[in-house]
Amino acid sequence: MDYHEMVDLLKERFPEAIQGYKVFREELTIDVDYKSLIPVCTFLRDEEPFKMDVLTDLAGLDFGKEASPRFGVSYLLTSTDNVFRVRVKIYFDEGTEIESVSNIWKSAEWPEREAWEMFGINFVNHPDLRKLLLPDEFDGYPLRKDFPTKGFHFEEPFRA
Amino acid sequence: MAETRYMTVNMGPQHPATHGVLRLLLELDGEYIVKTTPIIGHLHRGVEKLAEERTYHQFIPFTDRLDYTAGMNNNMAYVMAVEKLLGIEVPKRAQYIRVVLAELQRIAAHLIWLGTHALDIGAMTVLFYTFRERETVINILEHVSGARLTPSYMRIGGLAADVPENFETLVMDFVEKFPEYIDGYETLLTENPIWLQRTKGVGILSKEDALSFGVTGPVLRGSGVKWDIRRKFPYSSYEDFDFEIPVGTVGDVYDRYKVRLEEMRQSNRIIKQAITNMPSGDVIADDPKISLPPKENVYKDIDALIRHFKIASSGFEVPEGEVFFSAENPKGELGFYVVSDGSNMPFRIKIRNPSYFNLAALPKMIEGCLIADVVTVIGSIDIVLGEIDK
């Protein structure tokens, strides 16, 4: 089954949720409505021809202050039975509550904590949302595009 | 009935057996572990943020410093991610040399692991033998790249330079002798009753948990999943080589030990095949927009000088898009998720660091174990905090 047929299958099952897809360098990226993240992910994990049993990586994205929607999360899924990968991406604005996928794949727990502390992405139903790499008293979201790494005002505390 | 009270014990971040600045909060019921909370980030340097204001080439030295026991492998995973984004083909000779160096580095990394893991459990002798062989490997890598731990030898499109003339003989000398040395380590440990008692049935991770926690590398294979990126998503000509993927059955510390020992033998086989069938030719893709010109031309030829200046100062532009590339590192699957907006610097780089995901499964592995087993299990997942903390 090729990528286009897979997307058609998903579109049939979730007509509202699938917002588009792209194949670049033989990698499939599916844009999903963030409200339907949990049903789509559960379907991808459990059903053929997907069986994405491993969440390989989870990355937060910030497209800059002017962009709308500003944030994104990219979930990279791997199927060990069918040996292929699918990337699921969601887009949303600041303050949106995103359902945690750590109940579907336990490996999401730490990367979600990281995306939360680095970007300020608000995950809900996460078992233990605490700072992971940064100190507890750290103020600001360092991986956001407007967080400075050098310059005149670097010493001043950053406010999101 | 008396009330159950748990004692909380802090372990690290300054502890010789945590292999770096790892801190664990252990909740104990007597000597048994009820709950573990790993606390990481003491070595956080913000590499992903730093990548966003550097050109693609300037990020290569940062990758050496992730898992500092496997610099070559880190270089390789990163440059191949950018090559995938660019869509360029690397010359066959460069691919083969990359494989030889990556496998030598894997052997060196596994030798550190074996020595320190045995030392953690109390077998000191092994360390001296493994570090002796590691020195040979590191000397070869130094001879090639000029650095022992942080080679930065790979370039986008190929290698910084061809290998020195006597490289093949040096490697072959090592490869011929090495299997005997592995047998030597095995005589010290594999059937040693103390070793068996300390490692068998300790730190078990089931197949289902291993997949759900996203662990990779020898930890995943120790749990009985035959998953190796070199076989499943072949890169850099790994499909040309004949090698086995060792797997464990139970998923305990002993299985991971057996898997890594066998991996060293297989790496040895791959190196032998790659050296025997080494193709000749260029070691870097001939793409004037991406690769630096040969150094001798820079001094003689004005075009080459301009090309060198352009690439060294402002880098090159890459197509807009996003790719994920991962390689099988000694610790597991090291991946780079590179998002490009079409400029000369990455828009976002996310590192999929294997030790990080493997460590996340540690609380599950040591649940119900004795406190003395904590160092055993940490040793068996082979973590490097430079990589976990990024």
Side-chain angles (χ1 to χ4, degrees):
Chain A
M1 191 178 248
D2 74 353
Y3 286 155
H4 304 282
E5 286 169 19
M6 283 179 187
V7 176
D8 288 342
L9 194 93
L10 267 180
K11 273 186 180 158
E12 214 173 279
R13 181 76 173 67
F14 301 98
E16 310 270 285
I18 309 299
Q19 294 171 332
Y21 74 103
K22 207 191 306 178
V23 180
F24 179 71
R25 305 278 183 237
E26 292 163 27
E27 287 181 17
L28 173 64
T29 309
I30 307 173
D31 296 341
V32 175
D33 186 0
Y34 70 87
K35 294 187 202 83
S36 321
L37 180 67
I38 296 299
V40 171
C41 283
T42 316
F43 179 80
L44 285 173
R45 184 192 61 178
D46 295 335
E47 304 296 326
E48 287 288 353
F50 296 101
K51 288 269 180 198
M52 318 305 291
D53 47 359
V54 178
L55 176 96
T56 305
D57 200 5
L58 185 154
L61 296 162
D62 174 21
F63 302 102
K65 228 170 184 169
E66 293 79 33
S68 180
R70 179 174 175 177
F71 293 104
V73 177
S74 164
Y75 303 84
L76 185 80
L77 314 178
T78 306
S79 169
T80 53
D81 292 338
N82 302 330
V83 196
F84 75 106
R85 300 188 199 274
V86 169
R87 187 180 299 117
V88 172
K89 273 176 94 175
I90 56 169
Y91 299 93
F92 49 88
D93 272 314
E94 190 162 4
T96 313
E97 290 190 337
I98 302 300
E99 285 281 333
S100 163
V101 295
S102 52
N103 296 323
I104 306 177
W105 299 283
K106 283 182 198 145
S107 55
E109 217 173 283
W110 280 19
E112 277 181 347
R113 281 170 66 182
E114 205 185 321
W116 172 74
E117 65 177 351
M118 297 290 179
F119 291 93
I121 295 168
N122 195 3
F123 290 101
V124 291
N125 296 331
H126 188 282
D128 184 21
L129 201 60
R130 286 179 296 117
K131 290 240 161 108
L132 180 71
L133 296 175
L134 298 175
D136 288 339
E137 62 279 5
F138 192 89
D139 197 12
Y141 303 110
L143 277 179
R144 284 192 180 183
K145 285 286 171 191
D146 51 357
F147 188 90
T149 49
K150 55 188 171 191
F152 193 68
H153 299 289
F154 180 62
E155 293 297 317
E156 286 177 19
F158 170 81
R159 299 265 181 272
Chain B
M1 211 176 101
E3 183 192 351
T4 315
R5 281 198 305 175
Y6 296 138
M7 182 164 64
T8 308
V9 172
N10 178 64
M11 181 178 170
Q14 302 295 333
H15 189 286
T18 55
H19 297 251
V21 280
L22 169 68
R23 182 176 162 217
L24 296 173
L25 282 180
L26 304 165
E27 261 178 57
L28 303 175
D29 177 11
E31 268 201 83
Y32 292 93
I33 291 154
V34 181
K35 194 181 161 217
T36 315
T37 318
I39 295 166
I40 59 171
H42 297 88
L43 207 63
H44 180 60
R45 293 148 297 175
V47 186
E48 291 174 355
K49 183 77 176 175
L50 292 169
E52 290 174 13
E53 49 187 45
R54 268 158 185 80
T55 62
Y56 285 92
H57 261 137
Q58 284 172 339
F59 187 63
I60 295 175
F62 286 85
T63 61
D64 291 327
R65 287 149 180 87
L66 288 171
D67 172 3
Y68 38 76
T69 65
M72 286 289 184
N73 300 69
N74 299 347
N75 282 176
M76 184 158 160
Y78 170 69
V79 297
M80 291 200 67
V82 182
E83 281 158 9
K84 188 174 177 186
L85 185 58
L86 287 161
I88 53 171
E89 185 70 22
V90 178
K92 203 76 174 166
R93 182 174 172 82
Q95 293 186 9
Y96 270 58
I97 295 174
R98 279 180 181 183
V99 167
V100 173
L101 296 173
E103 295 305 322
L104 280 173
Q105 187 81 77
R106 187 187 315 277
I107 289 176
H110 280 1
L111 287 174
I112 296 190
W113 157 80
L114 181 59
T116 53
H117 182 41
L119 186 68
D120 284 347
I121 301 180
M124 196 176 220
T125 322
V126 189
L127 181 85
F128 300 112
Y129 290 112
T130 59
F131 270 61
R132 181 186 62 192
E133 271 76 73
R134 174 177 174 264
E135 200 57 29
T136 319
V137 179
I138 293 291
N139 282 341
I140 295 174
L141 296 180
E142 187 186 10
H143 188 50
V144 172
S145 69
R148 289 162 58 82
L149 295 178
T150 52
S152 296
Y153 177 62
M154 308 216 179
R155 295 289 181 273
I156 294 155
L159 305 168
D162 206 338
V163 287
E165 256 169 44
N166 59 348
F167 174 72
E168 291 179 18
T169 35
L170 282 175
V171 176
M172 279 315 252
D173 281 352
F174 172 76
V175 167
E176 293 298 337
K177 284 187 223 137
F178 188 57
E180 263 177 58
Y181 291 133
I182 305 178
D183 295 341
Y185 313 142
E186 287 220 71
T187 58
L188 291 169
L189 296 172
T190 305
E191 282 163 30
N192 180 334
I194 305 171
W195 182 259
L196 290 174
Q197 277 187 2
R198 290 298 307 270
T199 58
K200 276 226 158 178
V202 172
I204 295 176
L205 188 69
S206 71
K207 201 172 167 175
E208 292 71 31
D209 280 334
L211 290 171
S212 184
F213 275 108
V215 304
T216 46
V219 185
L220 180 64
R221 290 191 282 275
S223 294
V225 184
K226 208 168 183 173
W227 182 262
D228 189 315
I229 306 296
R230 293 175 292 175
R231 267 275 186 277
K232 300 293 178 179
F233 301 102
Y235 55 93
S236 198
S237 298
Y238 268 111
E239 64 275 11
D240 296 358
F241 307 115
D242 182 29
F243 62 98
E244 305 290 324
I245 304 169
V247 285
T249 45
V250 192
D252 56 3
V253 174
Y254 187 73
D255 273 354
R256 281 168 227 142
Y257 158 78
K258 289 290 274 184
V259 164
R260 284 205 184 85
L261 275 187
E262 189 54 34
E263 270 185 26
M264 287 199 271
R265 289 203 179 87
Q266 298 302 328
S267 292
N268 206 62
R269 269 179 73 192
I270 298 173
I271 298 170
K272 210 183 234 172
Q273 292 169 48
I275 291 282
T276 319
N277 305 319
M278 180 72 75
S280 55
D282 289 338
V283 291
I284 190 151
D286 187 22
D287 188 330
K289 281 209 167 75
I290 291 156
S291 54
L292 290 170
K295 199 74 185 171
E296 54 272 21
N297 291 4
V298 176
Y299 297 126
K300 292 186 298 205
D301 184 1
I302 185 68
D303 298 335
L305 180 67
I306 293 170
R307 177 177 153 192
H308 182 98
F309 180 74
K310 178 86 175 65
I311 294 171
S313 59
S314 68
F316 48 80
E317 287 174 2
V318 302
E320 198 177 332
E322 51 187 352
V323 292
F324 178 84
F325 177 83
S326 65
E328 186 70 33
N329 259 36
K331 311 278 184 281
E333 181 183 352
L334 176 73
F336 286 89
Y337 172 50
V338 186
V339 185
S340 148
D341 57 355
S343 71
N344 60 345
M345 294 177 195
F347 182 77
R348 166 108 167 92
I349 283 187
K350 169 76 172 69
I351 302 163
R352 191 253 181 241
N353 31 5
S355 298
Y356 174 95
F357 286 86
N358 292 356
L359 180 68
L362 176 75
K364 182 82 199 169
M365 286 185 220
I366 57 176
E367 207 177 88
C369 285
L370 289 165
I371 188 165
D373 294 333
V374 176
V375 287
T376 316
V377 179
I378 293 175
S380 81
I381 55 176
D382 191 14
I383 52 167
V384 164
L385 269 295
E387 182 180 67
I388 292 169
D389 292 345
K390 292 194 274 204

